[in-house]
Amino acid sequence: MLISQIKGANGEIIVAVREPGAAAKSVKGATSVYALAMEAADGGKSLVSVIEAHGYGDAVDLEKAYAEGRFLPPITHPDAAHLHLTGTGLTHLGSAATRDSMHKKTTEAAEETLTDSMKMFRMGLEGGKPAAGQKGVQPEWFYKGNGYGAAAPGAPLVSPSFALDGGEEPEMAGIYVIAKDGTPFRIGFALSNEFSDHVTERINYLFLAHSKLRPASFGPEIRIGVAPEDIRGTSRIKRGNHVIFEKPFLSGEANMSHTFANLEYHHFKYGLFRVPGDVHVHMFGTATLSFADGIKAEEGDIFEIEVSEFGLPLRNPLKVAAEEEIAVKQL
């Protein structure tokens, strides 16, 4: 089942659900996806059973809502500061053609010649998929922001004036709520654009934290449940009437050096991330970047990420913010 949120005529949230390839319907009495998820988490029920108990209302034209700019992120929190945007990198093996050569490179090279990135990647290859009941190696991890940095599907991804680059990162994101007893519950997975500043990151790996403090978009729909083992889609950039970049997007554990469960454990092992009522959007990394192919996105370019099993494609135009004067004042 796919679930999403759109703005109604009076500013209210309409929750829409559908099966892939079918028309969407509203969920009766649902004020938000967050409210439905918390009802399920705190009530010991599945989200699908809660949706079915509410029942279905009017048909919802999702394509029309998208064209009219009425999509919201597929989950929001009443207090945006309690929605956490986080992620992890160096988790994907890359294309099948480069997988063997990459593994050879990282296992035969002398330890002292490897970059920190390559060391982290090798750690994932060796320990990212632990046996049942065991804990695997922890991945690279980063913080992107909170709900104030969540751009709705169709809305611009705003690059700050001081940025050196604004580029897409097509990824899968896990969507979670924390129950009243502190238990994390996964709603499902969604497409995401983990928008980053790759030029800043390339200057020095210690600038990674700065490069990730950018908005992100996810959705338009959440696929409720577990992710497919092998996820295949497309990432593209459109400039005017032309596609200037298009490449396959691979994800799922068949194309990763970590299991989703291992990545989830190393995020939620911190008590800070198990605060009752919070929402987490955790992005799982990618092996496809236009930046790696020498593409420099420009204002007005449209990023598009598409995987058929996850509903409508995620589209966001690039916008560059005007320069701001920032000064701290003494009280």
Side-chain angles (χ1 to χ4, degrees):
M1 181 180 284
L2 299 168
I3 189 167
S4 57
Q5 297 188 139
I6 63 172
K7 287 182 285 189
N10 299 312
E12 77 279 16
I13 294 175
I14 296 173
V15 176
V17 296
R18 67 185 182 111
E19 295 299 328
K25 292 185 177 181
S26 63
V27 179
K28 289 183 177 179
T31 57
S32 67
V33 170
Y34 173 74
L36 289 172
M38 292 305 297
E39 181 180 341
D42 289 339
K45 304 173 184 176
S46 73
L47 180 55
V48 171
S49 69
V50 168
I51 291 168
E52 290 174 343
H54 275 255
Y56 304 106
D58 297 334
V60 179
D61 188 335
L62 295 181
E63 291 279 10
K64 182 181 178 182
Y66 213 166
E68 293 173 347
R70 293 193 291 117
F71 259 107
L72 296 166
I75 190 168
T76 48
H77 193 285
D79 179 354
H82 286 275
L83 187 153
H84 305 278
L85 299 172
T86 56
T88 185
L90 303 171
T91 54
H92 283 63
L93 299 170
S95 68
T98 61
R99 185 178 304 167
D100 288 341
S101 62
M102 183 179 293
H103 183 82
K104 182 178 180 181
K105 182 177 180 181
T106 59
T107 54
E108 291 185 357
E111 181 75 16
E112 63 271 16
T113 68
L114 296 179
T115 65
D116 286 342
S117 293
M118 293 304 283
K119 290 176 183 176
M120 184 69 76
F121 180 78
R122 187 170 74 176
M123 289 167 64
L125 285 175
E126 296 173 350
K129 292 184 173 181
Q134 297 183 3
K135 296 178 176 62
V137 67
Q138 62 184 0
E140 174 197 60
W141 182 97
F142 56 83
Y143 173 75
K144 281 197 71 67
N146 57 28
Y148 291 104
L157 286 165
V158 181
S159 184
S161 62
F162 55 80
L164 302 179
D165 173 56
E168 89 297 342
E169 292 204 14
E171 306 189 10
M172 299 311 305
I175 315 297
Y176 310 86
V177 294
I178 311 301
K180 60 186 177 183
D181 66 356
T183 302
F185 280 90
R186 185 198 313 120
I187 296 173
F189 294 83
L191 302 177
S192 69
N193 189 336
E194 195 271 288
F195 183 66
S196 300
D197 183 340
H198 302 103
V199 173
T200 292
E201 178 183 349
R202 188 173 62 179
I203 292 171
N204 188 306
Y205 190 67
L206 294 179
F207 281 170
L208 176 72
H210 290 281
S211 74
K212 295 299 186 183
L213 287 173
R214 302 290 187 270
S217 188
F218 57 98
E221 302 174 86
I222 300 170
R223 176 182 162 129
I224 298 172
V226 299
E229 181 79 9
D230 186 14
I231 298 169
R232 295 175 180 262
T234 304
S235 176
R236 62 178 65 90
I237 301 176
K238 297 179 179 178
R239 181 172 295 166
N241 295 323
H242 302 284
V243 175
I244 65 165
F245 172 81
E246 183 171 272
K247 219 169 187 181
F249 161 54
L250 303 178
S251 193
E253 290 183 0
N255 302 298
M256 297 171 65
S257 53
H258 288 260
T259 62
F260 286 124
N262 188 54
L263 299 175
E264 290 172 333
Y265 166 75
H266 285 295
H267 178 70
F268 289 110
K269 68 184 181 183
Y270 296 102
L272 174 66
F273 297 143
R274 299 194 307 275
V275 175
D278 278 5
V279 174
H280 290 258
V281 178
H282 192 56
M283 289 158 269
F284 289 112
T286 188
T288 303
L289 297 174
S290 65
F291 177 78
D293 284 5
I295 301 294
K296 183 173 177 58
E298 298 177 358
E299 187 164 23
D301 288 353
I302 296 175
F303 303 115
E304 184 175 88
I305 303 165
E306 185 173 26
V307 178
S308 59
E309 299 98 324
F310 289 84
L312 295 173
L314 177 61
R315 301 188 192 100
N316 299 92
L318 171 61
K319 181 179 179 181
V320 178
E323 188 171 355
E324 297 179 277
E325 291 294 332
I326 307 296
V328 175
K329 296 182 179 180
Q330 177 64 52
L331 289 175

